Amino acid sequence: MSDEIEEYLDNIFSEHRVVLFMNGAVQSPSDAESMMGRDVIAALKIDFLPVDLSRDPRLLAAVQKRSGWEKVAQLFIDGQFICDSYNLTPALKSKQFDKLLKSKKIPFDEAVADQFRAMNS
């Protein structure tokens, strides 16, 4: 990986605790996975930085290398890969995501999380 891309990622992680790497802009994700990840994180009112991976293939490769995961969208908290958007919903349903957010002191709307579980049980 280029040093430039690695430095860019390091800067992102130093400035933002929650980062969603996705395809497309936050206003118009280019695939269902990116839209799903964005919608869940936004609904929970989590402050996050969306990063469009489709603008630079080197960035996509660097993120995949850091996570060890191919699928996009990918959620990172404090520079650590958490899950892709497909695994975000089951983690939310099982309250594992709530526990993670609380352990990392990431504010989120617990009422929305409870409502999501009630609707998907």
Side-chain angles (χ1 to χ4, degrees), residues 1-16 19-21 49 51-53 55-56 58-67 74 76 78-80:
M1 284 307 113
S2 80
D3 290 340
E4 175 188 343
I5 295 295
E6 290 301 322
E7 186 176 323
Y8 175 71
L9 288 174
D10 289 341
N11 286 338
I12 285 174
F13 292 133
S14 71
E15 295 176 15
H16 302 278
V19 181
L20 180 66
F21 292 98
L49 175 71
V51 177
D52 180 2
L53 294 175
R55 60 188 175 88
D56 188 339
R58 298 173 304 156
L59 185 56
L60 171 61
V63 169
Q64 289 173 326
K65 182 180 177 188
R66 283 191 182 213
S67 69
Q74 294 186 15
F76 282 72
D78 294 333
Q80 177 186 8

Side-chain angles (χ1 to χ4, degrees), residues 27 30 34 54 81:
Q27 305 87 347
S30 61
S34 295
S54 64
F81 173 64

Side-chain angles (χ1 to χ4, degrees), residues 22-37:
M22 56 189 288
N23 287 316
V26 70
Q27 305 87 347
S28 57
S30 61
D31 57 42
E33 295 86 359
S34 295
M35 186 177 294
M36 182 183 348

Side-chain angles (χ1 to χ4, degrees), residues 44-108:
L44 292 171
K45 298 182 177 100
I46 296 172
D47 182 29
F48 73 102
L49 175 71
V51 177
D52 180 2
L53 294 175
S54 64
R55 60 188 175 88
D56 188 339
R58 298 173 304 156
L59 185 56
L60 171 61
V63 169
Q64 289 173 326
K65 182 180 177 188
R66 283 191 182 213
S67 69
W69 201 256
E70 285 189 32
K71 293 188 180 212
V72 173
Q74 294 186 15
L75 179 67
F76 282 72
I77 296 177
D78 294 333
Q80 177 186 8
F81 173 64
I82 302 302
C83 65
D84 67 356
S85 61
Y86 279 122
N87 290 307
L88 185 56
T89 299
L92 184 57
K93 284 175 74 171
S94 71
K95 294 189 177 184
Q96 287 300 102
F97 193 56
D98 299 49
K99 290 176 188 173
L100 174 75
L101 293 171
K102 288 177 182 178
S103 73
K104 294 194 173 279
K105 296 180 175 39
I106 303 287
F108 70 103

